[in-house]
Amino acid sequence: MQHQIIRRERDVSFLEKQARLVRVEILKMLSLAGSGHTGGSLSAADIVTVLYFSKMRHRPHEPMWKERDRFILSKGHAAPLLYAVLAMTGYFDISVLKTLRKLGSPLQGHPCSRLLPGVEISTGSLGQGLSVSNGIALGLKLDNLSSRVYCLLGDGEIQEGQVWEAAMTAAHYRLDNLCAIIDLNGLQIDGPVSQVKAIEPVDSKWLAFGWHVIKIDGHNMAEILNSLDEVERVKEKPTVIIAHTIKGKGVSFFEGKVEYHGIAPTKEELMKALKELSEEGG
Amino acid sequence: MATRDAYGEALLELGKKRKDIVVLDADLSGSTKTGKFAKAFPERFFNIGIAEQDMIGTAAGLALAGKLPFASTFAVFETGRAWEQVRQTICYSNLNVKLVATHGGISVGEDGASHQATEDIALMRVLPNMTVIVPSDGNETKQVINAISEYYGPVYVRLGREKVPMVMPDHYEFKIGKAYVFHIGKDVNIVATGIMVSKALEASKILNNEGIDVGVINMSTLKPLDTEILLKAAKASALIITAEEHSIIGGLGSAVTEFLSESHPISIHRMGLKDAFGCSGRPEELLKYYGLTPEDITKTIKIALKK
Ligand SMILES: Cc1ncc(C[n+]2csc(CCOP(=O)(O)OP(=O)(O)O)c2C)c(N)n1
Ligand SMILES: [Mg+2]
């Protein structure tokens, strides 16, 4: 495999194109697998694309590079998204994506760090990633490393108590090398978050817990880039980016649909979806 | 029919008869099938969101307020994430809370190890005051749900995701703590639970045809264990096989071994996950990968009988 150099590109149209390709890979692997989480992989695709193609310092050919920035996928069911960006930035061959969820594959239904270099920690049980991120951030500070930790959470996920325990820990230890990102797509499994169990007001909760809060449109590349720049200027406290997103984003018939949380596209749906994504590309 | 589907139906029926029944879930009511009850009795259904520890504590409170709570989510979260809430708040105070969890075992399939409960029986069995039940098919599940609603005390019921064949005879009546004997064999007896009962029955057919007298026992209640029947089986044959979709540490295999080693030591082979996590794959594929097919059972028996 060729060693890819991450160019840390800031060109918005380049990033939009990469995000479109990420979505294509997500849909293809899910459709082949026949099961998996479509909605939440698509809603966070733009954010994670910016992280891996632009913001994070990382070496796909040297996954354990000591000075790398870390990405923790706390909402582990969005594994296809993580696998897509890892493959596309050169951690492993893109052909491996078609083994998703199959017996013997390193691409488990939920990410497994034991099996796949590039995955920092196994996730899938919601609510545990922010605590782990805190631990890494504390460790980086002990070693005087300037690396950052980015942790992606679902909006339903923040119903877990451990998230708020971790929120308190991060503020207490003034973890300004930590950034939590909430994929605020408004939906969980049993319905809209507001109906299952309301989480609003989200921003004032994090503010009250001592965090710096930034609110963005999670599908606007410029806003994503700017918010991640702002994170680097905040001192003495952790930052949370509250990203307003659309579940299923990029495929019209998946967008905003509760039922596409945990089902994969059929062959026909895949064809239609790929057509939409290529038209968008012009 | 999957045992979780039977649960959904039984809960709905029970809800019609008893007004004190309340149901809690943690954002998985479609998968656990409590959604049926929720639709019929929205005022008696509480979705606690993705907050399993909170759900267990709330169920405890509802029990203290005189209700009969059924709390459901995936087995790995119900028993793992909320274990200490189950221990301290429910079992220590002996509260009348029914923990009915779905997605037990590796037959969960593609979601992988994070969603496959393979230590849940061990976690629940170790708790004082807890009753542990793993039904083998849909009809038995319905009977289990009715039976535990009539019983006072904490109960853990483990159900599966996948469709399973009906294995119990029509005349079968479930009683907490009573195993069901299909047959007591002179050469070997298989003590099984959950989906492994049907696999054990298939294995026994194969071996009976080859002249080996194989017994099968459905140990649907793992705690309290039916020691009377176990003793009978152990006295009839010099070999016992335990079969479960769970770690061989702490589950059915351990329960049977613990009892027999003190009361009637004989040779026991435990079939299950050998101190391993599950992984992604199709359910049937995984049962094969982890050595839990009827063919694996027959092979194990033949090797053990040669020794
Ligand atoms: C501890 C835990 N409880 C339950 C689940 C099952 N589950 C998987 S995804 C999900 C909903 C997640 O909703 P959200 O966090 O909003 O994610 P998104 O909308 O981004 O997919 C649930 C309940 C889980 N994985 N972990
Ligand atoms: Mg959501």
Side-chain angles (χ1 to χ4, degrees):
Chain A
M1 194 196 313
Q2 238 183 349
H3 289 169
Q4 202 155 337
I5 306 299
I6 303 302
R7 281 153 56 210
R8 309 194 63 200
E9 188 73 60
R10 292 187 65 89
D11 178 56
V12 165
S13 63
F14 168 82
L15 290 170
E16 282 170 352
K17 182 173 166 223
Q18 293 307 318
R20 201 156 52 235
L21 296 175
V22 166
R23 287 192 165 90
V24 167
E25 292 303 336
I26 290 171
L27 293 163
K28 281 189 346 199
M29 78 176 101
L30 278 167
S31 179
L32 267 175
S35 69
H37 299 83
T38 304
S41 295
L42 294 175
S43 63
D46 298 303
I47 296 159
V48 177
T49 297
V50 175
L51 284 172
Y52 273 84
F53 284 88
S54 177
K55 199 69 203 176
M56 292 202 314
R57 290 162 296 182
H58 62 121
R59 293 178 177 167
H61 56 283
E62 193 187 347
M64 298 306 280
W65 177 42
K66 206 164 175 253
E67 289 166 48
R68 72 191 181 280
D69 292 330
R70 313 304 207 267
F71 175 70
I72 306 295
L73 183 67
S74 191
K75 44 169 267 185
H77 58 278
L81 166 58
L82 179 59
Y83 298 154
V85 293
L86 288 178
M88 288 170 63
T89 53
Y91 282 81
F92 53 85
D93 198 89
I94 203 110
S95 65
V96 179
L97 294 179
K98 54 176 185 288
T99 66
L100 174 71
R101 291 179 156 246
K102 301 225 156 72
L103 185 62
S105 170
L107 310 190
Q108 293 288 295
H110 295 78
C112 179
S113 55
R114 216 168 18 86
L115 298 177
L116 191 65
V119 174
E120 302 283 353
I121 181 77
S122 304
T123 51
S125 176
L126 293 166
Q128 304 195 26
L130 193 57
S131 300
V132 179
S133 304
N134 284 343
I136 297 172
L138 284 166
L140 290 169
K141 281 191 181 266
L142 282 177
D143 287 349
N144 286 317
L145 291 172
S146 63
S147 310
R148 299 188 161 273
V149 186
Y150 301 93
C151 177
L152 182 70
L153 301 114
D155 50 359
E157 180 181 10
I158 67 172
Q159 291 161 342
E160 283 286 358
Q162 187 182 346
V163 172
W164 299 98
E165 297 173 24
M168 220 182 282
T169 302
H172 180 80
Y173 287 101
R174 302 195 196 95
L175 297 179
D176 50 14
N177 55 347
L178 170 79
C179 171
I181 303 166
I182 299 175
D183 182 2
L184 202 87
N185 59 29
L187 302 179
Q188 52 190 116
I189 293 185
D190 279 347
V193 178
S194 59
Q195 284 171 31
V196 174
K197 194 166 95 171
I199 55 171
E200 292 293 347
V202 176
D203 51 353
S204 51
K205 281 192 177 75
W206 289 89
L207 267 176
F209 272 70
W211 287 57
H212 178 69
V213 178
I214 308 174
K215 289 195 273 186
I216 61 163
D217 169 354
H219 302 307
N220 181 313
M221 290 297 180
E223 283 191 34
I224 298 170
L225 278 168
N226 289 339
S227 65
L228 291 170
D229 291 345
E230 183 177 331
V231 167
E232 291 170 357
R233 295 192 295 269
V234 177
K235 298 284 170 246
E236 296 288 308
K237 45 162 86 171
T239 297
V240 60
I241 297 174
I242 300 173
H244 287 264
T245 58
I246 295 167
K247 204 155 171 170
K249 173 73 180 179
V251 181
S252 62
F253 46 96
F254 292 159
E255 287 186 3
K257 296 246 168 69
V258 174
E259 56 275 26
Y260 278 98
H261 168 83
I263 48 176
T266 61
K267 266 199 193 121
E268 294 75 54
E269 286 170 334
L270 176 67
M271 298 320 281
K272 262 176 77 184
L274 293 184
K275 192 152 175 280
E276 278 190 15
L277 284 164
S278 69
E279 275 162 10
E280 206 182 311
Chain B
M1 172 182 236
T3 51
R4 61 174 170 149
D5 286 311
Y7 171 49
E9 289 177 15
L11 202 54
L12 179 64
E13 290 309 310
L14 212 55
K16 289 179 191 158
K17 279 185 238 146
R18 288 183 59 168
K19 300 291 164 230
D20 59 337
I21 290 195
V22 293
V23 176
L24 300 92
D25 206 301
D27 196 28
L28 287 168
S29 67
S31 297
T32 65
K33 305 298 171 187
T34 62
K36 277 203 160 156
F37 180 98
K39 218 170 153 205
F41 308 106
E43 70 291 349
R44 284 193 273 146
F45 175 79
F46 303 98
N47 202 328
I48 305 298
I50 312 170
E52 296 77 11
Q53 299 170 324
D54 189 29
M55 175 179 77
I56 295 299
T58 309
L62 281 160
L64 289 174
K67 304 297 169 199
L68 178 57
F70 280 71
S72 295
T73 178
F74 289 175
V76 72
F77 309 131
E78 179 122 12
T79 65
R81 185 57 147 272
W83 185 82
E84 211 226 350
Q85 280 78 7
V86 173
R87 177 184 189 265
Q88 309 282 5
T89 307
I90 292 179
C91 288
Y92 187 37
S93 300
N94 197 30
L95 298 185
N96 196 20
V97 176
K98 312 306 171 191
L99 308 169
V100 184
T102 65
H103 294 59
I106 50 172
S107 58
V108 163
E110 288 84 350
D111 267 353
S114 63
H115 285 57
Q116 298 163 348
T118 47
E119 310 87 13
D120 57 318
I121 296 171
L123 287 171
M124 293 295 103
R125 199 171 71 83
V126 73
L127 294 171
N129 293 335
M130 185 62 95
T131 294
V132 179
I133 304 171
V134 186
S136 60
D137 69 13
N139 282 343
E140 186 173 31
T141 302
K142 288 183 186 171
Q143 291 202 45
V144 166
I145 298 307
N146 287 328
I148 64 172
S149 73
E150 300 292 330
Y151 163 88
Y152 184 93
V155 178
Y156 173 61
V157 181
R158 177 209 232 204
L159 304 175
R161 172 178 188 261
E162 292 294 289
K163 285 199 178 75
V164 284
M166 292 292 181
V167 289
M168 302 307 285
D170 294 339
H171 60 82
Y172 170 65
E173 261 179 61
F174 172 80
K175 282 207 184 65
I176 297 174
K178 282 269 161 264
Y180 179 78
V181 176
F182 286 92
H183 171 65
I184 296 271
K186 289 197 193 68
D187 298 316
V188 55
N189 283 289
I190 310 170
V191 182
T193 193
I195 68 164
M196 293 309 294
V197 174
S198 76
K199 314 278 174 207
L201 286 169
E202 279 182 56
S204 75
K205 257 188 222 139
I206 300 171
L207 290 177
N208 284 336
N209 283 340
E210 297 178 22
I212 303 172
D213 188 7
V214 185
V216 177
I217 294 163
N218 173 12
M219 191 63 74
S220 43
T221 309
L222 281 96
K223 190 188 174 188
L225 202 63
D226 190 339
T227 51
E228 206 179 299
I229 279 179
L230 266 185
L231 211 50
K232 220 165 148 186
K235 284 177 179 168
S237 71
L239 175 65
I240 289 225
I241 304 285
T242 63
E244 62 196 311
E245 203 195 348
H246 183 273
S247 170
I248 57 166
I249 302 171
L252 174 71
S254 292
V256 169
T257 307
E258 286 156 17
F259 168 70
L260 287 178
S261 68
E262 286 179 353
S263 54
H264 189 86
I266 59 162
S267 179
I268 302 170
H269 282 250
R270 294 168 299 156
M271 299 189 69
L273 264 72
K274 303 203 161 46
D275 198 15
F277 283 109
C279 65
S280 291
R282 282 184 281 114
E284 283 305 321
E285 239 171 22
L286 291 181
L287 290 170
K288 202 165 171 185
Y289 183 74
Y290 288 101
L292 294 173
T293 64
E295 294 69 35
D296 292 305
I297 300 177
T298 59
K299 210 159 70 190
T300 304
I301 289 176
K302 281 184 178 168
I303 292 169
L305 284 177
K306 268 193 202 127
K307 277 188 188 149

